[in-house]
């Protein structure tokens, strides 16, 4: 009998439900659409997927973890996904507990799930003080401090996308001005360039388009300032970068790396802070959620 954790990864357009083993292996997975016509339809679809996943033979399910776009409330178990209006302030934790019969259900931010998965199994292995960030539609982050997963008071530690780096700067979707995300997310870089998505900006940059290169350069420069602040506050040794923008890492990575090194020189701390590419790919959110299902409550998750 293999130990497994029920993992749920709430994304913008779909919800992945799976079983994850202690070694991070995804034993089974079902994706459902989050674009249901009503709360009832969405919940019925999720309940069906959970029941099917939990029926797998030969595994002992010992916990459950949910990763979701933030902000989350780890005590109430609620999520506030911008793209799934039915679930605003919905206690997904209570729902999963009821449907699955698993008592030990934990919720974390989706970027925290990536950070934790990379820390345990990916590019962050061996790190002690790590931040994992997701650069995608938005920008999220998750934190490991002194070798332990750190989620903070409400479960939202590492919210680097909404740290303010430009006073009275660009309007951010969150209501503040000058957030890292307002300049550096894939969506906002695309908007700045006048394209529908970041891939189009990257493609133009590949062809040498000066405006595309300048847009990516500016987004990466601002993100590097956010990372400088994170390193200054937490004395990190490793930063792992994942998310949709990294699918154009041939264009994006050298630019981000250049700005990061420049900022780190200013900070002048002893030794190097490693900037690494996430290695777990698209499964990292699901794997991270699953791994969190295994953590004892003593670790604060
Ligand atoms: Zn913001």
């Amino acid at each position: 009998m293999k130990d497994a954790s029920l993992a749920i990864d709430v994304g913008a357009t779909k919800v992945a439900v799976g079983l994850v083993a202690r070694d991070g292996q995804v034993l089974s997975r079902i994706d459902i659409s989050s674009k249901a016509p009503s709360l009832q339809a969405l919940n019925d679809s999720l309940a069906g997927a959970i029941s099917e996943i939990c029926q797998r033979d030969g595994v002992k399910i010992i916990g459950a973890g949910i990763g979701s776009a933030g902000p989350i409330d780890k005590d109430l178990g609620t999520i506030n996904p911008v793209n799934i209006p039915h679930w605003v302030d919905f206690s997904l934790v209570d729902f999963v507990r009821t449907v699955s019969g698993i008592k030990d259900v934990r919720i974390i931010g989706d970027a925290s799930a990536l950070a934790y998965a990379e820390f345990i199994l990916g590019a962050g292995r061996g790190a002690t003080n790590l931040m994992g960030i997701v650069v995608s539609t938005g920008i999220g982050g998750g934190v490991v401090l002194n070798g332990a997963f750190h989620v903070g008071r409400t479960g939202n530690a590492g919210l680097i996308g909404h740290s303010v780096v430009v006073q009275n700067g660009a309007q951010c979707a969150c209501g503040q001005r000058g957030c890292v995300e307002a300049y550096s997310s894939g969506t906002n870089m695309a908007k700045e360039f006048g394209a529908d998505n970041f891939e189009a900006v990257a493609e133009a940059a590949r062809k040498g388009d000066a405006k595309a290169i300048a847009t990516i350069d500016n987004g990466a420069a601002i993100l590097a300032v956010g990372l400088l602040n994170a390193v200054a506050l937490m004395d990190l040794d490793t930063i792992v970068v994942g998310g949709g923008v990294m699918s154009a890492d041939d264009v994006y990575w050298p630019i981000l790396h250049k700005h990061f090194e420049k900022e780190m020189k200013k900070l002048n701390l002893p030794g190097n802070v490693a900037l690494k590419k996430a290695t777990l790919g698209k499964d990292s959110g699901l794997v991270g959620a699953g791994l969190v299902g295994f953590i004892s409550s003593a670790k604060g998750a």
Side-chain angles (χ1 to χ4, degrees):
M1 205 65 132
K2 197 170 195 172
D3 281 354
S5 171
L6 173 67
I8 297 173
D9 181 30
V10 181
T13 56
K14 65 174 196 226
V15 179
V17 181
L19 281 182
V20 173
R22 280 189 190 277
D23 62 3
Q25 194 193 349
V26 178
L27 302 172
S28 51
R29 170 184 183 140
I30 296 174
D31 288 352
I32 62 164
S33 167
S34 60
K35 303 278 173 214
S38 67
L39 174 66
Q40 189 65 49
L42 179 58
N43 288 356
D44 286 350
S45 161
L46 178 62
I50 290 172
S51 304
E52 199 179 328
I53 285 283
C54 288
Q55 275 164 18
R56 188 186 160 108
D57 291 333
V59 296
K60 185 180 167 210
I61 303 174
I62 65 166
I66 303 167
S68 171
I72 60 163
D73 184 322
K74 75 175 169 70
D75 296 327
L76 294 176
T78 52
I79 58 175
N80 271 294
V82 206
N83 298 303
I84 315 175
H86 299 311
W87 274 352
V88 169
D89 287 330
F90 177 71
S91 182
L92 196 55
V93 167
D94 285 346
F95 182 80
V96 171
R97 252 187 213 129
T98 307
V99 172
S100 67
I102 300 167
K103 269 178 27 195
D104 200 9
V105 181
R106 300 176 199 291
I107 188 158
I108 55 166
D110 50 0
S112 294
L114 170 127
Y116 194 58
E118 291 288 341
F119 170 63
I120 298 289
L121 301 166
R125 266 179 304 174
T128 306
N129 294 286
L130 166 146
M131 183 166 207
I133 64 167
V134 176
V135 186
S136 194
T137 321
I139 294 184
V143 180
V144 170
L145 292 178
N146 298 320
F149 193 30
H150 175 81
V151 298
R153 178 177 65 88
T154 61
N156 294 289
L159 203 61
I160 187 171
H162 301 292
S163 62
V164 175
V165 285
V166 181
Q167 201 175 20
N168 299 316
Q171 183 69 50
C172 182
C174 75
Q176 300 190 98
R177 286 186 171 275
C179 294
V180 168
E181 181 173 306
Y183 302 90
S184 310
S185 69
T187 307
N188 283 323
M189 284 191 281
K191 206 164 121 192
E192 179 66 26
F193 178 66
D196 290 336
N197 52 55
F198 181 74
E199 189 44 54
V201 188
E203 191 47 45
R206 269 181 208 113
K207 290 177 181 148
D209 184 295
K211 190 184 173 195
I213 295 167
T215 301
I216 296 173
D217 195 80
N218 185 56
I222 300 262
L223 177 58
V225 174
L227 294 175
L228 164 92
N229 292 338
V231 172
L233 289 172
M234 295 183 284
D235 201 357
L236 303 169
D237 52 71
T238 306
I239 291 166
V240 178
V241 186
V245 165
M246 288 297 286
S247 23
D249 65 342
D250 58 317
V251 178
Y252 182 66
W253 190 253
I255 299 176
L256 178 63
H257 202 268
K258 173 189 78 180
H259 285 293
F260 180 73
E261 291 300 320
K262 203 166 82 189
E263 296 301 331
M264 286 305 110
K265 279 206 184 78
K266 291 183 198 163
L267 201 54
N268 203 24
L269 296 176
N272 290 320
V273 182
L275 184 72
K276 295 182 168 179
K277 299 177 186 180
T279 55
L280 298 176
K282 288 195 189 319
D283 270 346
S284 64
L286 191 68
V287 171
L291 292 176
V292 162
F294 287 114
I295 306 181
S296 75
S297 55
K299 286 205 172 168

